[in-house]
Amino acid sequence: MEIGNGCISKKRKLVEEGSLDELNEDLLERVLSWLPTSTLFRLGSVCKRWKSMADSQSFKLACSRIPSRDPWFYMVDADLNRSIVFDSAKSSWKRLNHPSLLLRDHNRDSIPVAASGGLVCFRNMSGGYIVCNPVTGSCRELPPVDPGQSLLAIAMNAYSNYHGSYKLVLVSGDLPKLSFKVYNSITNCWEEEIMLRRNADDCTKSNDNDDDAVYFLSTAGNVVVTNMQRSPSKQYSSVFTLKDGEEIVYFLTSSGRVIACNLTQKCFSEYPRLLPVFSEYSIDVVECKGEMLVVVLSEFFESASLRVWQCDPKTKTWNQIAVMPPAMSHEFYDKKLDINCVGAGDQIFICLSSAELCSYVLYNFVTNRWVELPECSVNGESLEFMSALSFEPRIEASV
């Protein structure tokens, strides 16, 4: 793991001068809890007092009171048995120790499918779920669950990192018959399956066969199929929002329609299509600051365009809120790219991948900057990632 050696050196100097050493335990914990997560791992090498403090529950409690931490993005590539992250605070790649539970035979090649707070959820080949803190390596295998009907979406929401309070939501079925199950970490069990009814105010009701594959000729004369080809880790991708006391899970159908499942009201609704079904585009849904957004890569007039859209809940119309500079997006034209995106606060991490190109872009809403990230190299090997999940690097996050 990459470490802030300069920061630690300064702390050593402060200890030698006695300024920090004179603080009482409670105040010292509160001061050090603000250090970047990658630096917290080196506290034990400063002095015995700091090592004892770093291992204490009171220090973890102090860390839990930090409102937020800059996100890390857990990367997914062909080798599922290693942990690579991108640290957004330091704009650098890191390799973490892969959790030992995920290296056992029945859990090998487990795919990360959801994340929230400081936790990431993995799904093994037999349909079992493992929740993990990638920073500490602590894991919990969830009780087995009957998959029931066809699984459509997996969402996660962590309510308290320190107390290990979180929910895992599975949405299953075939439109218009949808249902969901919830795992509650407090009770350590799956709750009863609940059916979802269609929202009576849903005016965008589509034909139930609308998600059947449709084939058509592109402008280049190629045969194109409307069903999206998603990365395995994004097959059940969805986002969870909590707004006005209502829990909502959003996910994409195989043809790119957005479905909103209101778990509180036990109903679902469909959003209008952004583009006609006979269009070439790649789409993903993300959550930023509690809002559901859609990212679309499309081609028009021999150029590519990457835009971010938000839907007005009252009028059910889509409004563009960000667009990548054409000079950047033009590079993606005719590359047959699949985009896989994840939101984190004011940022969106975008993976663009195909047989011809692999690129990663970080967009910041506050600065309105689109930054292409450097390639990741481990032991001289250049790695290519299909997708990413965002989480906060928290040593106190409990499974």
Side-chain angles (χ1 to χ4, degrees):
M1 177 181 287
E2 193 175 295
I3 303 297
N5 291 318
C7 186
I8 290 295
S9 298
K10 292 177 182 177
K11 295 295 178 272
R12 283 199 181 102
K13 185 177 180 180
L14 287 169
V15 171
E16 291 170 358
E17 293 173 350
S19 56
L20 278 179
D21 204 33
E22 294 174 359
L23 297 178
N24 63 44
E25 205 73 9
D26 179 64
L27 190 54
L28 180 62
E29 289 177 347
R30 286 162 58 187
V31 170
L32 297 183
S33 65
W34 287 91
L35 288 172
T37 300
S38 56
T39 304
L40 294 179
F41 285 98
R42 294 294 300 274
L43 292 181
S45 64
V46 176
C47 61
K48 290 182 179 180
R49 182 190 178 194
W50 285 25
K51 175 174 172 50
S52 174
M53 179 205 64
D55 295 335
S56 69
Q57 287 299 317
S58 59
F59 180 64
K60 292 180 180 179
L61 181 60
C63 290
S64 72
R65 291 173 177 148
I66 304 301
S68 64
R69 294 193 182 275
D70 291 320
W72 285 6
F73 296 94
Y74 191 97
M75 308 305 298
V76 183
D77 68 344
D79 185 350
L80 296 171
N81 297 309
R82 62 184 172 194
S83 298
I84 307 290
V85 300
F86 180 78
D87 181 346
S88 66
K90 296 190 174 183
S91 297
S92 62
W93 301 98
K94 293 177 170 58
R95 182 164 187 172
L96 307 180
N97 293 325
H98 201 59
S100 57
L101 183 61
L102 295 177
L103 293 174
R104 296 180 184 176
D105 288 344
H106 67 291
N107 286 331
R108 291 189 67 84
D109 296 324
S110 293
I111 300 176
V113 291
S116 182
L119 304 175
V120 175
C121 178
F122 294 78
R123 188 173 189 262
N124 62 27
M125 303 302 288
S126 59
Y129 296 92
I130 305 100
V131 173
C132 167
N133 181 333
V135 174
T136 64
S138 60
C139 293
R140 175 198 285 196
E141 283 192 90
L142 305 192
V145 58
D146 181 4
Q149 306 175 66
S150 56
L151 184 60
L152 297 174
I154 303 172
M156 187 177 185
N157 188 38
Y159 297 90
S160 169
N161 283 302
Y162 181 72
H163 295 101
S165 175
Y166 58 88
K167 288 182 180 179
L168 187 68
V169 181
L170 310 182
V171 179
S172 305
D174 294 296
L175 285 170
K177 297 180 179 179
L178 301 181
S179 64
F180 71 94
K181 280 185 178 180
V182 175
Y183 168 80
N184 190 323
S185 65
I186 301 301
T187 60
N188 191 33
C189 68
W190 293 90
E191 298 173 0
E192 289 295 320
E193 183 177 32
I194 297 175
M195 298 302 297
L196 291 165
R197 68 181 190 282
R198 187 185 293 275
N199 191 330
D201 298 329
D202 188 4
C203 59
T204 57
K205 181 179 178 181
S206 63
N207 187 306
D208 292 338
N209 296 322
D210 192 37
D211 274 338
D212 291 346
V214 175
Y215 297 83
F216 63 96
L217 286 176
S218 70
T219 54
N222 300 316
V223 176
V224 179
V225 61
T226 56
N227 279 44
M228 295 187 301
Q229 301 299 314
R230 306 303 305 277
S231 160
S233 69
K234 301 288 284 185
Q235 182 179 356
Y236 308 114
S237 174
S238 63
V239 298
F240 187 105
T241 67
L242 179 60
K243 194 172 184 179
D244 299 326
E246 295 191 343
E247 299 176 328
I248 304 178
V249 172
Y250 299 89
F251 69 93
L252 292 170
T253 67
S254 59
S255 68
R257 283 187 296 127
V258 178
I259 306 295
C261 298
N262 189 316
L263 308 185
T264 306
Q265 300 293 336
K266 300 179 178 57
C267 64
F268 75 92
S269 58
E270 303 175 35
Y271 279 66
R273 286 186 179 279
L274 259 167
L275 295 173
V277 67
F278 296 101
S279 302
E280 290 184 81
Y281 65 95
S282 182
I283 183 173
D284 207 355
V285 60
V286 300
E287 178 270 332
C288 289
K289 294 285 189 178
E291 299 289 341
M292 183 275 292
L293 307 174
V294 164
V295 184
V296 178
L297 175 67
S298 58
E299 297 187 358
F300 191 64
F301 286 144
E302 298 186 352
S303 185
S305 172
L306 197 152
R307 302 169 186 265
V308 182
W309 301 81
Q310 185 174 22
C311 191
D312 186 316
K314 294 182 179 179
T315 63
K316 283 294 181 75
T317 56
W318 291 98
N319 302 307
Q320 177 184 300
I321 59 174
V323 57
M324 176 182 282
M328 287 185 69
S329 59
H330 182 70
E331 176 191 2
F332 307 140
Y333 175 69
D334 201 30
K335 296 295 193 297
K336 313 300 180 199
L337 288 165
D338 179 33
I339 62 168
N340 291 290
C341 313
V342 61
D346 293 316
Q347 303 178 87
I348 298 180
F349 191 103
I350 305 166
C351 291
L352 304 105
S353 58
S354 72
E356 302 178 47
L357 178 70
C358 195
S359 181
Y360 321 106
V361 175
L362 194 61
Y363 173 65
N364 189 303
F365 281 100
V366 176
T367 62
N368 194 30
R369 291 186 63 216
W370 300 79
V371 178
E372 188 168 4
L373 305 183
E375 70 173 25
C376 176
S377 179
V378 174
N379 298 326
E381 176 190 2
S382 180
L383 304 182
E384 295 186 348
F385 304 106
M386 301 173 287
S387 60
L389 296 171
S390 68
F391 71 100
E392 290 188 28
R394 290 186 172 272
I395 62 170
E396 78 277 9
S398 171
V399 298

